[in-house]
Amino acid sequence: MKGIILAGGTGTRLGPVTKAVSKQLLQVYDKPMIYYPLSVLMLAGVREILVIVTPDDLAGYRRLLGDGSALGLEIGYAVQHEPRGIADAFVLGAGHVGDDQVALVLGDNIFHGQGFSGVLADAVKNLDGCTLFGYAVADPERYGVGEADATGRLISLEEKPAVPKSRRAITGLYLYDNDVVEIAARQRPSARGEREITDVNRAYLELGRASLVDLGRGFAWLDTGTPDSLAEAAKYVQIIENRQGVRVACVEEIALRMGFIDAEACRLLGEELANSQYGQYVMRVAAESGG
């Protein structure tokens, strides 16, 4: 399975800082925002990843992530010159996806919960068409909302419904078979010139090949698109890390646990950040694993 992180857009809701810095490069407590979606793909076992960025921000992402080899990954980049909708990721990334399955994650979404790697592994293993991830929210009318039957098959999908059929908001994590490349390419752009991900998901729904995985109690799904939600996400991560003594979305640790790198490589990555608490944690993880 290939992976795509959509990190384009202008992030105007977080202005004025986003006039100078990409939203997904902003700090969420102790690490850049993009580490969180990157960690999701890594936990799903994905190692070939395309990051979609704006022209102005490409250099910053290259400085931060490089080609991914330090983490045992292959990271490439594609430039999106203007916002053209989430589904445009499959048009830009068609060459990257090739004839493989693909996982798409939005660059400003944070997922966290016990056993999440197992949930992802099951979803990848059982993928047949399209798999979406639903999360119960108090205000579903603000989101795309999915309804599933007892087997998890998606039976309805509505965008910001006045009277929602469920409380399950569709999160910014999507798994697809290879047909998504063709399906996205033939979607007619909206009046704003954007290819809508909901249209792609509805195409799978009409084929009877869409499922919904419920991220139940004990999971957290956070959007970091506004100053308040960004601050709330940082506070959540701070509390979890300080209480439990672990790091959320520590990509070096995940690379080690997933077998992408060895303990010595992990230690060296920690040494590069030795003056920070984050780097000291990475070194400690490496030492405990024999590095």
Side-chain angles (χ1 to χ4, degrees), residues 132-188:
L132 308 177
F133 294 81
Y135 186 82
V137 295
D139 49 355
E141 63 277 358
R142 294 180 51 234
Y143 301 89
V145 174
E147 180 188 16
D149 64 18
T151 68
R153 182 174 64 89
L154 190 68
I155 57 177
S156 75
L157 185 62
E158 302 173 289
E159 190 66 29
K160 298 181 179 179
V163 183
K165 295 181 180 179
S166 86
R167 294 177 51 231
R168 295 296 184 275
I170 302 300
T171 69
L173 174 62
Y174 316 85
L175 306 182
Y176 298 99
D177 66 9
N178 191 254
D179 291 342
V180 72
V181 175
E182 180 182 348
I183 290 173
R186 68 171 184 249
Q187 294 302 315
R188 180 175 298 177

Side-chain angles (χ1 to χ4, degrees), residues 51-65:
V51 183
I52 297 178
V53 301
T54 68
D56 291 341
D57 298 318
L58 176 59
Y61 285 101
R62 287 191 184 277
R63 283 195 300 271
L64 178 67
L65 302 174

Side-chain angles (χ1 to χ4, degrees), residues 51-283:
V51 183
I52 297 178
V53 301
T54 68
D56 291 341
D57 298 318
L58 176 59
Y61 285 101
R62 287 191 184 277
R63 283 195 300 271
L64 178 67
L65 302 174
D67 63 2
S69 58
L71 295 170
L73 307 175
E74 295 180 24
I75 296 179
Y77 302 89
V79 170
Q80 189 180 55
H81 291 276
E82 58 186 12
R84 291 197 297 266
I86 295 173
D88 188 59
F90 302 114
V91 178
L92 277 175
H96 168 71
V97 176
D99 58 1
D100 209 342
Q101 300 173 325
V102 59
L104 170 67
V105 60
L106 303 187
D108 61 358
N109 275 213
I110 295 175
F111 296 85
H112 179 254
Q114 184 69 30
F116 190 36
S117 59
V119 171
L120 292 172
D122 288 343
V124 170
K125 179 181 178 181
N126 298 315
L127 178 62
D128 180 21
C130 161
T131 296
L132 308 177
F133 294 81
Y135 186 82
V137 295
D139 49 355
E141 63 277 358
R142 294 180 51 234
Y143 301 89
V145 174
E147 180 188 16
D149 64 18
T151 68
R153 182 174 64 89
L154 190 68
I155 57 177
S156 75
L157 185 62
E158 302 173 289
E159 190 66 29
K160 298 181 179 179
V163 183
K165 295 181 180 179
S166 86
R167 294 177 51 231
R168 295 296 184 275
I170 302 300
T171 69
L173 174 62
Y174 316 85
L175 306 182
Y176 298 99
D177 66 9
N178 191 254
D179 291 342
V180 72
V181 175
E182 180 182 348
I183 290 173
R186 68 171 184 249
Q187 294 302 315
R188 180 175 298 177
S190 69
R192 297 181 299 175
E194 298 184 356
R195 285 187 167 89
E196 306 289 352
I197 197 67
T198 300
D199 293 339
V200 171
N201 295 335
R202 284 203 181 104
Y204 277 99
L205 172 62
E206 292 168 2
L207 293 169
R209 299 181 58 229
S211 61
L212 184 67
V213 174
D214 183 27
L215 298 177
R217 294 186 178 184
F219 277 87
W221 169 53
L222 305 170
D223 185 343
T224 55
T226 67
D228 283 346
S229 61
L230 183 63
E232 290 167 1
K235 191 65 176 177
Y236 172 84
V237 173
Q238 179 188 35
I239 291 171
I240 292 294
E241 293 189 352
N242 289 347
R243 292 277 179 87
Q244 298 183 357
V246 298
R247 297 279 161 174
V248 177
C250 177
V251 293
E252 296 86 357
E253 179 180 18
I254 293 170
L256 177 61
R257 304 298 187 209
M258 295 294 293
F260 299 167
I261 61 174
D262 60 22
E264 175 62 13
C266 184
R267 182 186 66 79
L268 293 174
L269 289 172
E271 283 187 351
E272 293 178 6
L273 302 168
N275 288 334
S276 70
Q277 292 182 350
Y278 183 92
Q280 292 161 16
Y281 174 82
V282 172
M283 288 190 291

